[in-house]
Amino acid sequence: MTELILLFVGSALVNNVVMSHFWGICPFLGVSKKTETAFGMGLAVIFVITLSSLITYLVQNYLLEPLGLEYLQTIAFILVIAVLVQVVEMVLRKVSFSLYQALGVYLPLITTNCAVLGIALLNVTKGYSLIESVINGFGSSTGFMIAIVLFSGIRERLEMSDMPEWMKGFPGALISAGLMAVAFLGFTGMIPA
């Protein structure tokens, strides 16, 4: 049980997909202008990455490997992720149309979000069991949500601050993201390697 908790904390904070691996930068920068939409994107990513970690494990171990089709891994994983994103899109359209509109083009882009595919491939590469894959997926996506919600709070605050003209907008956001990445490095010694 301790190993699973360490895996969760390690994947959420120490090896944060955005701050350490720089995966998922497109939605991280694109949807982080408002905390509300960042939170919605974070929930969608948690759902997609966690479920895709489960399903891609099953596809890899019970379909691709027994049939000797490991070379189709990336295509199979992208297909699983695309189906899950379509489910999220349909649910959001019915449940919260305003959030669906606010997420805009970034919602279908979860399909091509390298964080989602990266975690699925990382689970296979590291040889995680089913439960470890799901915990790693949930931890990584929770880390994504932590990063995007924190960053959206910073961006909202930057919009209201008095700062030099050259730093307003995207330049200030990039500098803030870099400083956040440095701050996340502080978690590095928390989990033994």
Side-chain angles (χ1 to χ4, degrees):
M1 184 64 167
T2 305
E3 293 85 18
L4 295 177
I5 293 170
L6 288 175
L7 178 62
F8 175 82
V9 172
S11 59
L13 298 176
V14 178
N15 297 313
N16 186 286
V17 291
V18 178
M19 297 293 133
S20 295
H21 296 289
F22 306 110
W23 296 345
I25 291 292
C26 179
F28 177 74
L29 293 173
V31 184
S32 60
K33 287 184 179 179
K34 293 186 178 181
T35 304
E36 189 176 294
T37 54
F39 185 76
M41 175 60 88
L43 288 177
V45 168
I46 285 175
F47 176 79
V48 171
I49 290 182
T50 304
L51 214 51
S52 71
S53 294
L54 170 73
I55 295 171
T56 55
Y57 176 87
L58 298 173
V59 166
Q60 176 71 22
N61 290 291
Y62 296 106
L63 184 66
L64 298 177
E65 284 180 3
L67 296 175
L69 299 173
E70 292 94 346
Y71 62 92
L72 293 175
Q73 181 183 67
T74 304
I75 294 170
F77 288 5
I78 288 174
L79 181 63
V80 167
I81 293 164
V83 168
L84 289 172
V85 170
Q86 288 301 310
V87 168
V88 169
E89 222 177 325
M90 290 186 299
V91 168
L92 275 181
R93 193 178 306 141
K94 294 286 183 191
V95 174
S96 177
F97 191 72
S98 61
L99 180 59
Y100 171 77
Q101 286 182 317
L103 292 175
V105 72
Y106 294 101
L107 187 58
L109 283 178
I110 294 175
T111 304
T112 58
N113 185 342
C114 57
V116 182
L117 181 60
I119 295 303
L121 293 172
L122 186 71
N123 290 338
V124 172
T125 304
K126 292 208 174 194
Y128 286 149
S129 67
L130 177 63
I131 190 73
E132 289 172 331
S133 293
V134 172
I135 295 293
N136 185 52
F138 182 65
S140 297
S141 56
T142 302
F144 178 88
M145 183 172 175
I146 290 168
I148 197 170
V149 169
L150 286 174
F151 188 57
S152 67
I154 291 169
R155 286 187 77 176
E156 284 181 352
R157 186 120 182 191
L158 284 175
E159 287 296 317
M160 295 184 290
S161 22
D162 185 30
M163 49 203 239
E165 192 63 37
W166 65 268
M167 204 170 149
K168 288 184 180 177
F170 205 62
L174 287 177
I175 291 169
S176 299
L179 291 172
M180 266 186 73
V182 170
F184 267 77
L185 282 174
F187 294 116
T188 304
M190 198 165 102
I191 307 277

